[in-house]
Amino acid sequence: MKKPLHFILSGGGTGGHIYPAVSIADEIKRRFPDAEILFVGAQDRMEMQKVPEAGYKIEGLWISGIQRQLTMKNLMFPFKMMSSLWKSIQIINKFKPDVAIGTGGFASGPLLQVAHWRNIPTLIQEQNSFPGITNKWLGKKANVICTAYDQLDRFFPAEKIRITGNPVRNDLLKVSAKRAEAFDFFRLEKDRKVILVLGGSLGARRINQLLEEFVNDLVLEGAQIIWQTGKLYYETYKKFGEKEFVQIHEYLNNMNFAYAAADIIISRAGAGTVSELCIVGKPVVFIPSPNVAEDHQTKNALAIANKDAAIVVHEKNIKTEFREQFFPLLKNEKRQEELSVNIKKLARPNATKEIVDEIEKLLKKGNKG
């Protein structure tokens, strides 16, 4: 009897690394129902909760990133790395994976390094237009690098790159058919434009402050607003929900309906969000967070804006740029349609399937070897 295939995945620290890994695991399970799948994460990060919630086993490593300034955490880094390499050796020796897959985050570094030492085929998936430290380092050793943006041969060997896009949820493909249902769900007025404001699950302080300043003007211009404040800011801004045509949500559990209802979306520019918004195909104003590694949100947003597929408002000039760019867009149906058409051209709805196609190719090569 043939033994089931073993797949090991590592990606974490943020949802942007975790959810692509879970999407890949789900597609692997769909193709290989008997496969055994194990995740490896950083022991004190959100993957230790989110991965089991998605139905997969996970092992934790004692690992964290390097801080920009000299701290006790930096002094501990060599010890954490040695500990994580040793535990990765133990995990790989016991689990015996056929393929190792990394989606970024600190834990994927030692795990995929050990897989490389053991001659196990490795694939990394880079979500951003500017790779993080871990994936830059792993790219020299990985067999295949799946990316969401072109021109990443500045960082990775060109012959290893496959432009697949980022994994997103399949249910986003049918968003446009849910508009009437979404209007009922949110109790929206049919004769007003719907502005959807997103700042991530925790929230975005500067976006919330911006809305606080302009919310009355937007309503006067004939808009209605679905405003997701995030967990950190809900208590501060929930009072705005008393205004007519303004809805305040700590978190949006039904993103399908939120996307379906929206006419224009204001959002951060994390890689996963950008990929979702390309599939959704609505006009987008990106306000990238400047407080992330390598300023990758700005690079993600500009990669879309440079194809005339979105508008970018920078935090350093947020009020001026928003006033100059958003209000003309709100009144210009033709421009909204142009942005919608252009961003949809950048969508890669089959990303997860294409990534798992590459994993299957690695399996076949491994079997021949």
Side-chain angles (χ1 to χ4, degrees):
M1 185 176 165
K2 195 174 177 184
K3 83 171 182 74
L5 292 165
H6 285 203
F7 298 89
I8 200 161
L9 295 100
S10 184
T14 67
H17 295 313
I18 297 164
Y19 298 123
V22 170
S23 293
I24 292 166
D26 289 345
E27 177 64 14
I28 289 170
K29 203 71 179 166
R30 192 188 67 77
R31 292 193 198 186
F32 305 103
D34 298 331
E36 291 194 25
I37 295 172
L38 177 67
F39 278 72
V40 174
Q43 64 186 18
D44 58 347
R45 301 303 292 264
M46 65 187 286
E47 57 265 30
M48 302 307 291
Q49 176 191 345
K50 297 296 181 186
V51 169
E53 283 175 3
Y56 296 103
K57 295 177 190 169
I58 187 166
E59 297 261 6
L61 304 180
W62 185 46
I63 189 72
S64 60
I66 300 173
Q67 310 296 309
R68 290 178 189 271
Q69 61 273 14
L70 185 64
T71 65
M72 183 56 74
K73 281 187 177 178
N74 276 359
L75 296 175
M76 293 300 291
F77 182 77
F79 301 101
K80 289 184 175 183
M81 181 57 83
M82 292 304 295
S83 164
S84 296
L85 285 167
W86 176 243
K87 188 165 183 186
S88 294
I89 289 168
Q90 293 175 309
I91 290 168
I92 281 178
N93 285 349
K94 184 179 177 185
F95 188 68
K96 296 183 171 57
D98 294 284
V99 178
I101 301 139
T103 59
F106 313 128
S108 60
L111 184 85
L112 267 72
Q113 176 62 62
V114 171
H116 174 70
W117 287 340
R118 290 283 191 270
N119 292 317
I120 294 160
T122 61
L123 175 145
I124 60 173
Q125 196 264 325
E126 174 52 56
Q127 298 95 34
N128 292 295
S129 58
F130 196 96
I133 293 168
T134 305
N135 272 358
K136 268 197 229 171
W137 176 58
L138 289 172
K140 301 182 181 86
K141 308 170 178 71
N143 297 82
V144 175
I145 302 156
C146 293
T147 69
Y149 295 90
D150 51 17
Q151 297 181 342
L152 262 71
D153 51 358
R154 294 173 294 154
F155 309 104
F156 301 127
E159 69 278 6
K160 296 182 179 183
I161 294 174
R162 311 286 184 272
I163 301 176
T164 57
N166 285 324
V168 296
R169 294 168 294 129
N170 283 332
D171 53 4
L172 291 178
L173 303 175
K174 299 167 187 157
V175 155
S176 57
K178 297 176 182 172
R179 187 164 170 88
E181 201 178 344
F183 264 65
D184 289 341
F185 180 82
F186 285 109
R187 301 185 301 281
L188 295 164
E189 300 282 334
K190 293 194 167 47
D191 60 343
R192 281 182 165 260
K193 287 280 185 187
V194 179
I195 300 170
L196 173 62
V197 184
L198 303 171
S201 56
L202 293 178
R205 184 172 62 90
R206 292 295 284 122
I207 291 179
N208 286 328
Q209 289 172 339
L210 180 76
L211 260 289
E212 180 178 10
E213 175 147 341
F214 286 103
V215 66
N216 291 333
D217 295 334
L218 293 169
V219 170
L220 285 171
E221 290 288 347
Q224 54 196 326
I225 302 162
I226 301 172
W227 178 357
Q228 184 248 322
T229 62
K231 185 178 179 181
L232 297 178
Y233 304 100
Y234 178 71
E235 289 301 320
T236 305
Y237 292 98
K238 67 180 181 183
K239 61 178 183 259
F240 286 92
E242 296 166 12
K243 289 180 178 290
E244 195 176 12
F245 308 120
V246 180
Q247 297 186 26
I248 303 293
H249 300 267
E250 178 181 328
Y251 187 75
L252 290 164
N253 288 315
N254 197 324
M255 281 306 301
N256 278 355
F257 282 170
Y259 284 144
D263 290 297
I264 303 175
I265 299 169
I266 298 169
S267 176
R268 285 302 200 198
T273 301
V274 172
S275 295
E276 286 191 356
L277 293 173
C278 289
I279 287 173
V280 168
K282 301 288 179 82
V284 179
V285 175
F286 286 119
I287 305 178
S289 169
N291 309 312
V292 292
E294 313 286 358
D295 197 20
H296 66 246
Q297 284 204 11
T298 300
K299 295 178 176 79
N300 292 346
L302 289 174
I304 305 298
N306 289 342
K307 294 185 167 76
D308 194 32
I311 289 169
V312 179
V313 168
H314 300 89
E315 273 203 5
K316 63 183 177 185
N317 301 313
I318 192 167
K319 291 179 189 176
T320 305
E321 289 186 20
F322 185 78
R323 189 182 291 109
E324 289 174 355
Q325 298 200 67
F326 190 84
F327 285 92
L329 176 65
L330 186 60
K331 297 171 189 171
N332 190 335
E333 296 269 352
K334 183 170 179 286
R335 183 63 180 140
Q336 290 171 32
E337 181 61 23
E338 284 172 359
L339 290 174
S340 183
V341 168
N342 290 349
I343 199 168
K344 207 153 183 107
K345 287 177 188 171
L346 306 177
R348 290 185 171 268
N350 298 316
T352 312
K353 290 177 182 174
E354 289 180 26
I355 291 164
V356 179
D357 287 345
E358 294 297 331
I359 293 167
E360 280 205 63
K361 289 175 193 173
L362 287 177
L363 283 171
K364 286 171 186 168
K365 280 183 187 172
N367 290 339
K368 285 176 186 172

